[in-house]
Amino acid sequence: MTDLLTPTPSSRRDFLRTLSLGAGATLAGTAALGAPLDWLAPERKLGVALVGLGNYSTGQLAPALQQTKYCQLAGVVTGSPEKAVKWQQQYGIAAKNCYDYKTFDRMMDNPAIDIVYVVLPNALHAEYVVRAAQAGKHVICEKPMATSVADAKHMIAAMEKAGKKLSIGYRLHFEPHNQEMMRLGQSQAYGKINHLAADNGFKFGSGGTPWRVNKKLSGGGPLMDMGIYCLQGCLYTKGQVPVSVTAKFAPNSNPALFKDVEAGISWQLRFADGTVADCRTSYTENMSRLRADAAQGWFELEPAFGYGGLAGKTSKNDGKLNLPNINQQATQMDDFAQCVLLNKPTRVPGEMGLRDVQLLEAIYRAAETGQSVSTKDVVQLIDRRSAH
Ligand code: NAD
């Protein structure tokens, strides 16, 4: 055990040889013993291929991949040959690692790509995750995982068949402020949580990406895009999956723009022990807040869900949470790379993505019918790691 925790130069060499034989070969035992990973310095970082070079890939993921320790930007998939050339020059990507949507499946023969990161409009996630599985790659899929429960289940089955790992791009599970909400809530640091509130939205405007208001491509409006963070926040703060939901669409102030998807929606989650969560999302309002009111105090984040500048406080002397803002995406991708290298489970697996798609569908059903919808049958999965 001591050897594993403080590797000698020769055990480190053996370890690196193991890595170079193939990612995730035989290291589960090491992870189980809680070996620190800082000495894990693979000679070849795992290669990540970004699929879809839109705003999130360009503005967040590619820059974050310049800061990762265990993975690197090795390839891209784009429908635009000009973008491919630009990215090759900007990031030193080999031309042989650039694909379009037709040649995508040839990645099967490319050992430089270990992880495929699907960053496409929501409705396209399923097709490309399944094709990545068939190409024998590990996958990170952006949120929401899919636009239907059936698609999410199909994706998980394809990844299982391939024997590869699937995670969802839930960056906030790796973010200190949100991890503190998990810890305070799940450990009941302020007693039992009686009420949760979560709001997340932005003003869509005319410059918004058109697929987000096209139901066929998005699966829905702000609930799919921004509301999913409220849902996640309530579940990981409470540490439970709700038992039922009610919901109501907001009035549509711009029917010309929001003709296919909701402009906003509010919903209430009910948990088995009586806790209620009030959530709201919108494409017409800027908001980002997560708050818990508990028996002996309260704790909250505002802003709660962005890429940076997150801040929080608690009722303890109105104390500010003194926590760092980190590069969430770099940390998220490095964590997944370690899961692959050490063959350990990700804390944000496909099953969590499926759980959330089940809940999103239930929220829409509740809003459409005006009825309370039972959520007792959804996947029972919570990230509990940060609670201790
Ligand atoms: P975007 O519109 O900026 O980029 C989408 C990319 O997909 C574009 O490069 C576009 O050319 C390509 N594409 C391929 N086929 C397409 C088609 N048929 N129609 C439209 N575009 C097509 O979108 P984005 O903001 O980068 O979002 C992409 C995904 O990432 C979404 O699932 C979104 O929910 C997710 N996302 C996650 C976060 C996060 O914080 N985790 C943030 C932003 C976006």
Side-chain angles (χ1 to χ4, degrees):
M1 180 155 176
T2 317
D3 278 345
L4 282 168
L5 290 170
T6 48
T8 60
S10 69
S11 70
R12 185 172 185 277
R13 255 195 318 277
D14 289 348
F15 177 78
L16 294 176
R17 205 170 302 126
T18 311
L19 279 188
S20 64
L21 287 174
T26 59
L27 299 161
T30 314
L33 289 170
L37 297 175
D38 275 353
W39 61 276
L40 202 170
E43 281 151 349
R44 180 176 78 81
K45 292 177 171 188
L46 296 184
V48 176
L50 294 176
V51 185
L53 305 182
N55 291 316
Y56 194 52
S57 286
T58 307
Q60 305 302 324
L61 296 177
L65 279 162
Q66 310 313 302
Q67 296 184 32
T68 43
K69 273 206 232 164
Y70 305 113
C71 52
Q72 64 183 351
L73 179 54
V76 293
V77 179
T78 172
S80 155
E82 302 81 49
K83 268 194 200 170
V85 170
K86 192 171 160 249
W87 278 61
Q88 281 168 35
Q89 289 166 352
Q90 185 172 353
Y91 291 110
I93 298 169
K96 70 173 181 56
N97 295 347
C98 296
Y99 299 87
D100 61 29
Y101 297 106
K102 286 203 186 84
T103 59
F104 179 98
D105 311 278
R106 289 191 206 150
M107 246 189 271
M108 185 182 293
D109 303 318
N110 189 344
I113 311 287
D114 302 284
I115 297 169
V116 167
Y117 197 149
V118 177
V119 203
L120 291 167
N122 307 339
L124 304 180
H125 293 177
E127 175 185 345
Y128 287 91
V129 168
V130 170
R131 284 170 69 179
Q134 288 164 352
K137 305 300 178 186
H138 301 282
V139 174
I140 308 174
C141 174
E142 259 316 317
K143 45 57 58 179
M145 178 183 183
T147 53
S148 74
V149 167
D151 274 358
K153 287 183 173 168
H154 183 47
M155 293 154 84
I156 290 171
M159 293 300 303
E160 270 172 11
K161 187 167 172 211
K164 298 291 165 181
K165 289 191 188 297
L166 170 62
S167 82
I168 309 300
Y170 286 140
R171 55 186 165 77
L172 294 175
H173 287 252
F174 307 91
E175 194 286 316
H177 296 80
N178 282 270
Q179 288 179 331
E180 182 65 357
M181 292 298 279
M182 291 178 205
R183 190 187 71 76
L184 293 173
Q186 294 186 24
S187 68
Q188 302 206 353
Y190 289 82
K192 178 184 173 274
I193 294 175
N194 294 316
H195 187 257
L196 288 154
D199 311 313
N200 195 26
F202 71 98
K203 288 186 184 161
F204 190 86
S206 51
T209 35
W211 68 262
R212 283 190 160 79
V213 288
N214 174 346
K215 192 170 181 187
K216 244 190 170 158
L217 285 170
S218 60
L223 179 62
M224 300 296 279
D225 196 21
M226 308 297 284
I228 189 168
Y229 289 98
C230 301
L231 188 63
Q232 278 248 317
C234 290
L235 269 63
Y236 57 62
T237 302
K238 179 69 184 165
Q240 290 176 22
V241 176
V243 292
S244 70
V245 58
T246 52
K248 202 171 165 205
F249 291 119
N252 187 349
S253 57
N254 191 346
L257 182 58
F258 305 117
K259 49 180 181 284
D260 208 18
V261 301
E262 79 279 2
I265 183 169
S266 57
W267 71 98
Q268 249 187 6
L269 305 172
R270 281 188 174 71
F271 294 86
D273 62 1
T275 298
V276 168
D278 279 298
C279 304
R280 205 157 61 92
T281 186
S282 171
Y283 272 160
T284 63
E285 241 180 293
N286 293 324
M287 48 190 179
S288 174
R289 183 178 72 116
L290 177 61
R291 178 180 169 103
D293 283 283
Q296 283 120 42
W298 53 264
F299 43 104
E300 71 173 12
L301 301 182
E302 187 167 17
F305 304 119
Y307 305 144
L310 304 191
K313 53 189 180 183
T314 75
S315 56
K316 215 174 251 171
N317 308 321
D318 262 358
K320 280 201 173 88
L321 291 181
N322 246 332
L323 295 165
N325 275 281
I326 59 161
N327 188 315
Q328 301 168 14
Q329 291 85 356
T331 312
Q332 168 214 327
M333 290 187 278
D334 261 345
D335 184 87
F336 185 62
Q338 289 173 28
C339 290
V340 170
L341 290 164
L342 297 169
N343 193 21
K344 61 175 190 158
T346 164
R347 71 180 71 166
V348 287
E351 287 75 10
M352 183 178 278
L354 167 62
R355 176 200 75 185
D356 294 346
V357 176
Q358 288 174 319
L359 289 167
L360 295 171
E361 281 196 0
I363 294 166
Y364 278 129
R365 209 165 342 121
E368 279 152 15
T369 61
Q371 306 285 314
S372 170
V373 171
S374 167
T375 55
K376 278 188 181 144
D377 294 335
V378 307
V379 174
Q380 301 290 308
L381 187 73
I382 298 284
D383 181 358
R384 293 188 190 283
R385 274 160 220 247
S386 305
H388 308 293

